[in-house]
Amino acid sequence: MRKTVLTAFLLAFTIPAGSQTPSPAPPGPVVQYEIQARLVPESKTIQGRETLVWRNDSESPVGELRFHLYMNAFKNNRSTFMAESLGSSRGVKADKADKDAWGFIDVNEIGIRDGADLTPTMAYVQPDDGNADDQTVMRVTPPSPVKPGESIALNIAFTVKLPKAVARAGFGGDFFMAAQWFPKIGVLWNGAWNCHQYHAHSEFFADFGTYRVEITAPGKYVVGATGKRIGQRKNADGTTTYTHAQADIHDFAWTACPDFVESRERFQMTSPAVDTEMIFLVHKEHLGQRGRYVKALRQGLEFYSRHYGPYPYPTVTLVDPAPGASATGGMEYPTLFTSMTHRFLPAGVLMPEMVTIHEFGHGYWYGMVGSNEFEEAWLDEGINSYSEVKAMAEYYGPDRSLINLGPVRLSDLSYQRLNVIGGGRFDPILRRSWDFVGGGSYGLNVYNKACLMLLTLERYLGQETMDRVMRTYFETWKFRHPTSEDFIRTAEEVSGKDLRWFFDQALRSPDKLDYAISSVVSEPVREAEGLFKGKLVKTDPKAAAKPAAAYRSEVVAIRRGEWIFPQDILVVFADGRKVRETWDGRERWKRFVYTGPDRLAYAQIDPDGVWLLDVNWTNNSLRLEPRPDGSRKAALKIASLFQHLLTLLSL
Amino acid sequence: MSVLRSYGKGLQEALIRVQSVFVLWAVTAVFAAVVYAVAARVLAAPLARSLSGDTIMAGGAADALLEVLAGSGPALNALFGVGMALFVAYLFVSPFLYGGVISEVVRPREAKGFAASFWMGGGKYYGRYFRLAVASIALWVPAGLLFVLAGRGLTAIGVDPAREEIQFYLILGRIAAGLFLFYLVKMILDYARIRIAVQESRSALAALGWAALFVLRKPIKTLSLYYLLGLTALAGSAAYVAVQAGFARKTMAAVLAGLFLAQLHILWRCWVKVAFQAAEIKLYTQTAR
């Protein structure tokens, strides 16, 4: 009864995610949050009260509840986050001498509504590393277990001290970014709590539900938040309270800054049907860059809606962090994300566009398709980087989608490839985020390599099939928690192909893909010489002087890496004749022999450029005769640059 | 007027002393040729028989070349090492070139014998100019300290990181301050070399002190002349950048034409360098006591 009444009450104030074809067996809301938060800018604190209704969605009774207290990652240098990151994250080092730099969350009270006080049962637990100093996961024990299908309503009072902007959240001057800020219940998944500590290289995981949040801030502040604003009132003490609500989301973030300039624009498209309000909170220092944000967000909405499914929420909010708080930039939350720019950033450096499209895209990959970022980060970062590369190429040009400064150009795809080519090969893509050897390996694998893996898959399956794979995956798993296995199964079912061999290598092995043409030979076929049936046969000197009537040509393809991928080989002869071969790629090498009237010109493995994961494309082809123009051109360029440098710095 | 006269004289002398310009160019070309030989060898291994070489020729140079370089770590290290060694070697050659250019510029026009003047001058002043380069630490260190202090002062002004516009201009200010100090020390060293050559001074340190005082006493003239010549150099470079930007190098003939254009630019830079020395010598002889 309690559950029914509370659900009805909450839903009355929340905004449905819109109408689209429901996914198979959509889960009901497991969590329902109602939060009141008051920002106290002077002390950089948030005073909060939270009512949480949590439903036991499992088939077993649950004797304890686990909560994320993410802000405690910034409490001291003994937290797992600080220990793993050596005090810095996302390029920003914590200023340890400044008391204001630290952040924390205190749960002042927690109890069952109209029932037992659970505060005495509070305890910090460390399920990942046993670090007793880490306080980012809290456990409470109700007096009796929560039975399957039953809900429990909790009242929680808490205080947050925001850190100086670090790792997605915090303050910078008058700018506040409240992210991962409230006590958030973990996910009861496969019969156990999936509630990981806050790690240096991990993101998040949470259940879908409904949120209704009241944010009170001094009147001069411009406030933006997840979801649709359903109320706003001025208070007698000079503050203003904003009420936001949204259903079908798994997180809630908000921001406040007196220097934001707020603007709103409508985005509508007909196929598929999308109608949403774009809200821009751009810092006054960056107003000159606003047009870039607007254009990129329109492109993101259009691209993702067209390729994966219509954007279902009534709002999307872009937050431009204040200068000096860049550590909060480039992060996604449901219906709200932070982008980043600089007042004087040239138009040819497409960083704001890329970040805007990428972070908006996370509204799909993790925002709606709620995979476990702690354990399988590629499912959101890799899939989203794949989507971003495609969107950037479509809107800004395939060869200049990241940098377009006259003759200096770089594509987003090349950027991803260069990272993979030059990066170490220590980890597979699929690994728990904190198990990677370091932040570089985490980024290289879950962003760059996973992106290339999907682009490779697209070239292997074909554009149309891959589009269907992605649409099906989105439709099937939106507002649910898919795993890597679910993605693989979807890809196999839609394509009708066995792709296990592909994912087993690309996802689970740290090795490399590198096929090459190691040698090409083309020699004239000699006239018969020697003893034949006891008779000596000699070559006629006149015939030997004539051009050869036939050539014996040989191509050897080799596998330099451990990954085994089937290969196509193109062999081109001097007369333009082409022969296409296939090789299963299993052995370490394969020889192809031809006899014909013409010499061989060159051989090329993977001539269609399917295997974007191949770490060396230069060795994919081999000419019979060298043609050194390209290397000479590059060497001349390098030498000329050196000569200019000499005259610049000395006589 | 003395600045403009010196400027005009400097340009005129550089046109006349064209052999010096060619020697300066030839020395840079020899150093660059070594870099070319190494780079061509390093790049030929992966590219000469690969279709990637065609991609580079076809103009998709950035991506294809980056692919090659990203996969050629050891070779790239070798190339970088050779480049660094050559650059250091060039710094050792520089005092000789200064000696040659200054000897040639002060040689009376009617007196014949460029070769004797240039090469003997280079040898004659090498030791003193080398000692001068070492003694110049006495200027570089205070200049560096001044730069750091100026930077801290500017940072203190723009302490609010939210004022991005001010932050940006402060960065520009720091760069400008750094460049000003760098070229100020270089200019003082120019006058110290001239002092050594014209006065036949044997003490590098004394010449350095004299030059610093000279610049301090005549800051308007010395700086005006220096920046006038600097603008002349920039004008040529701007023209080069404009021309070569619209120059597609998709055939070997076009690549060689581009190389020729680059060499013309280097020649221009060498010509301006000789003009610098000649103009400063003119200003020195007009105003120094």
Side-chain angles (χ1 to χ4, degrees):
Chain A
M1 183 66 180
R2 183 177 60 190
K3 177 186 116 185
T4 312
V5 171
L6 200 71
T7 304
F9 171 77
L10 281 167
L11 288 178
F13 290 97
T14 53
I15 308 301
S19 58
Q20 69 279 312
T21 311
S23 344
V30 174
V31 292
Q32 297 159 21
Y33 286 93
E34 190 175 356
I35 306 174
Q36 292 86 42
R38 172 178 285 268
L39 175 67
V40 185
E42 299 75 27
S43 57
K44 324 294 184 197
T45 56
I46 300 166
Q47 301 295 334
R49 298 199 73 84
E50 171 180 325
T51 299
L52 163 66
V53 179
W54 177 80
R55 178 164 56 85
N56 180 359
D57 207 23
S58 77
E59 294 173 354
S60 307
V62 173
E64 65 172 44
L65 306 174
R66 291 199 177 188
F67 289 83
H68 292 286
L69 301 179
Y70 289 119
M71 276 294 155
N72 281 339
F74 314 116
K75 194 169 191 175
N76 54 51
N77 65 350
R78 301 293 173 89
S79 72
T80 291
F81 178 97
M82 285 295 182
E84 287 177 350
S85 66
L86 303 175
S88 69
S89 177
R90 292 168 81 87
V92 178
K93 196 156 180 78
D95 181 359
K96 294 172 184 171
D98 180 0
K99 191 182 173 192
D100 251 5
W102 302 101
F104 58 83
I105 177 169
D106 282 340
V107 174
N108 309 317
E109 288 173 20
I110 180 167
I112 299 173
R113 180 188 287 188
D114 305 326
D117 179 11
L118 303 183
T119 315
T121 72
M122 276 170 34
Y124 296 114
V125 291
Q126 300 82 23
D128 300 336
D129 64 1
N131 170 14
D133 291 319
D134 189 76
Q135 301 180 349
T136 57
V137 178
M138 177 185 81
R139 176 185 67 199
V140 293
T141 312
S144 57
V146 185
K147 293 175 186 160
E150 191 178 81
S151 293
I152 183 169
L154 300 166
N155 285 334
I156 307 168
F158 62 96
T159 303
V160 172
K161 159 68 181 66
L162 289 167
K164 239 182 194 172
V166 59
R168 313 170 182 91
F171 72 91
D174 266 353
F175 165 79
F176 293 90
M177 186 71 219
Q180 296 85 42
W181 58 284
F182 59 94
K184 191 174 183 185
I185 198 161
V187 179
L188 191 66
W189 210 28
N190 300 325
W193 282 107
N194 196 295
C195 190
H196 293 293
Q197 296 161 246
Y198 199 171
H199 294 270
H201 309 302
S202 71
E203 293 195 294
F204 314 103
F205 186 43
D207 269 318
F208 287 94
T210 57
Y211 284 73
R212 184 181 189 280
V213 181
E214 291 182 3
I215 301 154
T216 301
K220 68 173 184 175
Y221 279 78
V222 179
V223 171
T226 291
K228 188 171 175 66
R229 183 167 294 170
I230 58 168
Q232 178 175 340
R233 67 170 189 274
K234 288 191 187 311
N235 304 312
D237 60 358
T239 60
T240 304
T241 299
Y242 306 89
T243 305
H244 283 242
Q246 186 62 57
D248 294 333
I249 56 173
H250 52 56
D251 198 2
F252 191 98
W254 57 277
T255 184
C257 180
D259 295 326
F260 277 147
V261 177
E262 181 178 318
S263 58
R264 292 166 183 252
E265 289 190 26
R266 194 111 221 128
F267 177 87
Q268 292 172 310
M269 64 187 282
T270 50
S271 181
V274 179
D275 185 0
T276 191
E277 185 175 39
M278 301 186 294
I279 303 166
F280 299 91
L281 299 175
V282 179
H283 193 273
K284 66 180 184 184
E285 287 282 319
H286 297 152
L287 277 180
Q289 302 272 322
R290 182 184 166 280
R292 299 176 67 173
Y293 282 146
V294 174
K295 184 180 169 193
L297 182 52
R298 282 189 177 281
Q299 290 165 338
L301 277 160
E302 197 266 342
F303 183 90
Y304 280 76
S305 296
R306 182 158 47 83
H307 282 84
Y308 309 122
Y311 181 75
Y313 299 106
T315 61
V316 54
T317 300
L318 180 153
V319 178
D320 167 54
S326 61
T328 64
M331 184 56 197
E332 70 280 4
Y333 311 94
T335 79
L336 177 147
F337 65 91
T338 58
S339 191
M340 57 170 70
T341 191
H342 189 279
R343 185 186 179 102
F344 296 101
L345 196 71
V349 179
L350 298 165
M351 192 259 286
E353 289 81 359
M354 185 270 281
V355 175
T356 297
I357 287 176
H358 182 94
E359 303 308 340
F360 166 76
H362 272 305
Y364 281 69
W365 314 120
Y366 183 58
M368 283 183 265
V369 179
S371 48
N372 188 333
E373 292 186 303
F374 284 102
E375 297 179 6
E376 299 179 298
W378 81 272
L379 278 174
D380 66 297
E381 295 299 356
I383 291 179
N384 198 39
S385 295
Y386 157 79
S387 309
E388 161 215 309
V389 165
K390 286 167 62 69
M392 290 298 288
E394 179 170 324
Y395 294 113
Y396 297 97
D399 64 336
R400 63 198 68 182
S401 53
L402 213 51
I403 295 175
N404 185 11
L405 294 168
V408 181
R409 293 170 181 171
L410 186 68
S411 69
D412 201 357
L413 172 58
S414 291
Y415 169 75
Q416 308 283 345
R417 253 189 74 75
L418 290 172
N419 273 307
V420 172
I421 293 168
R425 282 177 265 280
F426 304 109
D427 294 300
I429 293 172
L430 188 53
R431 172 160 281 189
R432 296 188 307 181
S433 297
W434 59 95
D435 286 338
F436 284 88
V437 68
S441 185
Y442 169 80
L444 162 70
N445 280 285
V446 306
Y447 286 80
N448 310 131
K449 204 198 286 182
C451 165
L452 287 190
M453 177 184 77
L454 292 170
L455 287 165
T456 296
L457 186 65
E458 178 181 296
R459 293 183 184 202
Y460 177 65
L461 296 178
Q463 180 74 59
E464 191 270 331
T465 305
M466 188 67 180
D467 283 350
R468 280 194 292 120
V469 168
M470 298 306 294
R471 271 197 300 272
T472 308
Y473 176 65
F474 175 73
E475 276 301 322
T476 308
W477 291 102
K478 67 184 176 190
F479 309 123
R480 300 172 72 183
H481 299 311
T483 63
S484 298
E485 281 301 315
D486 296 318
F487 183 86
I488 295 167
R489 201 176 305 117
T490 304
E492 286 188 318
E493 284 172 5
V494 173
S495 67
K497 288 186 174 174
D498 171 19
L499 297 171
R500 188 64 51 180
W501 62 272
F502 177 88
F503 286 108
D504 279 351
Q505 297 180 96
L507 263 186
R508 296 189 167 88
S509 156
D511 292 326
K512 66 177 180 181
L513 173 65
D514 185 13
Y515 283 85
I517 301 292
S518 71
S519 75
V520 288
V521 178
S522 208
E523 294 291 339
V525 177
R526 290 175 173 276
E527 294 291 322
E529 257 183 341
L531 292 170
F532 292 88
K533 294 179 182 173
K535 286 182 71 176
L536 179 65
V537 177
K538 290 183 184 175
T539 309
D540 177 5
K542 287 181 184 170
K546 288 181 184 171
Y551 291 86
R552 182 182 185 279
S553 301
E554 205 179 278
V555 173
V556 178
I558 60 169
R559 174 166 63 83
R560 290 178 181 274
E562 298 305 314
W563 290 0
I564 296 169
F565 281 53
Q567 297 293 328
D568 282 356
I569 294 146
L570 176 69
V571 183
V572 179
F573 294 86
D575 64 350
R577 185 167 58 96
K578 292 178 180 175
V579 178
R580 206 164 169 114
E581 306 279 4
T582 56
W583 174 33
D584 64 12
R586 292 195 170 279
E587 298 298 323
R588 275 290 173 179
W589 59 272
K590 171 91 174 171
R591 178 184 287 123
F592 302 91
V593 180
Y594 311 90
T595 303
D598 265 296
R599 281 161 68 89
L600 193 147
Y602 66 86
Q604 184 179 19
I605 199 162
D606 185 23
D608 303 321
V610 171
W611 305 122
L612 281 163
L613 281 166
D614 188 312
V615 296
N616 190 342
W617 273 353
T618 311
N619 65 16
N620 277 19
S621 55
L622 201 63
R623 290 182 177 285
L624 185 67
E625 300 295 340
R627 189 183 287 179
D629 288 1
S631 57
R632 284 178 185 161
K633 176 184 175 182
L636 278 174
K637 183 79 183 166
I638 291 169
S640 182
L641 285 173
F642 181 76
Q643 199 178 3
H644 278 94
L645 184 73
L646 290 185
T647 58
L648 253 185
L649 297 179
S650 189
L651 186 68
Chain B
M1 283 306 286
S2 58
V3 171
L4 286 178
R5 270 204 304 275
S6 302
Y7 174 72
K9 180 75 176 170
L11 300 187
Q12 189 188 359
E13 284 291 326
L15 281 173
I16 294 165
R17 318 281 177 172
V18 70
Q19 295 107 317
S20 297
V21 176
F22 276 105
V23 169
L24 290 185
W25 167 80
V27 173
T28 63
V30 167
F31 276 77
V34 178
V35 170
Y36 170 77
V38 176
R41 190 177 173 82
V42 163
L43 294 174
L47 282 178
R49 293 181 66 191
S50 168
L51 296 181
S52 298
D54 297 5
T55 311
I56 288 176
M57 272 314 289
D63 286 10
L65 190 57
L66 285 172
E67 285 256 352
V68 173
L69 296 179
S72 311
L76 202 61
N77 284 343
L79 181 60
F80 186 74
V82 168
M84 284 303 293
L86 285 171
F87 185 73
V88 171
Y90 189 79
L91 292 181
F92 278 90
V93 172
S94 263
F96 184 90
L97 297 176
Y98 273 116
V101 169
I102 291 173
S103 296
E104 172 60 7
V105 169
V106 298
R107 175 174 64 94
R109 258 183 240 173
E110 57 280 7
K112 290 188 178 176
F114 159 77
S117 166
F118 190 96
W119 301 114
M120 284 179 67
K124 179 180 175 183
Y125 297 120
Y126 187 83
R128 278 175 270 179
Y129 283 3
F130 192 82
R131 289 202 302 280
L132 182 68
V134 176
S136 70
I137 292 170
L139 286 181
W140 289 117
V141 170
L145 287 174
L146 206 59
F147 176 66
V148 170
L149 288 175
R152 287 194 178 168
L154 290 172
T155 305
I157 294 168
V159 73
D160 181 3
R163 302 291 301 276
E164 206 164 64
E165 187 172 11
I166 292 177
Q167 294 280 323
F168 180 75
Y169 289 123
L170 287 178
I171 290 170
L172 289 187
R174 288 179 76 160
I175 293 170
L179 287 174
F180 173 77
L181 288 168
F182 178 78
Y183 285 110
L184 180 68
V185 171
K186 278 193 65 128
M187 184 174 69
I188 291 171
L189 286 170
D190 281 351
Y191 285 108
R193 285 188 208 96
I194 292 166
R195 177 78 175 177
I196 287 170
V198 174
Q199 300 291 322
E200 287 297 343
S201 166
R202 302 208 65 81
S203 168
L205 208 55
L208 191 65
W210 180 90
L213 283 175
F214 175 70
V215 170
L216 278 176
R217 282 178 190 146
K218 302 181 189 309
I220 305 290
K221 285 183 177 174
T222 51
L223 286 172
S224 302
L225 178 61
Y226 201 81
Y227 288 114
L228 204 53
L229 288 158
L231 285 174
T232 309
L234 275 178
S237 295
Y240 167 70
V241 169
V243 172
Q244 67 95 39
F247 199 80
R249 295 173 173 85
K250 295 188 177 179
T251 63
M252 208 56 209
V255 169
L256 291 175
L259 178 69
F260 180 71
L261 199 65
Q263 296 312 306
L264 285 181
H265 179 227
I266 298 287
L267 267 173
W268 166 263
R269 295 254 278 258
C270 294
W271 180 77
V272 174
K273 281 169 187 292
V274 174
F276 256 93
Q277 302 302 316
E280 286 172 336
I281 288 170
K282 181 68 181 172
L283 186 69
Y284 170 88
T285 52
Q286 278 181 345
T287 57
R289 293 287 179 272

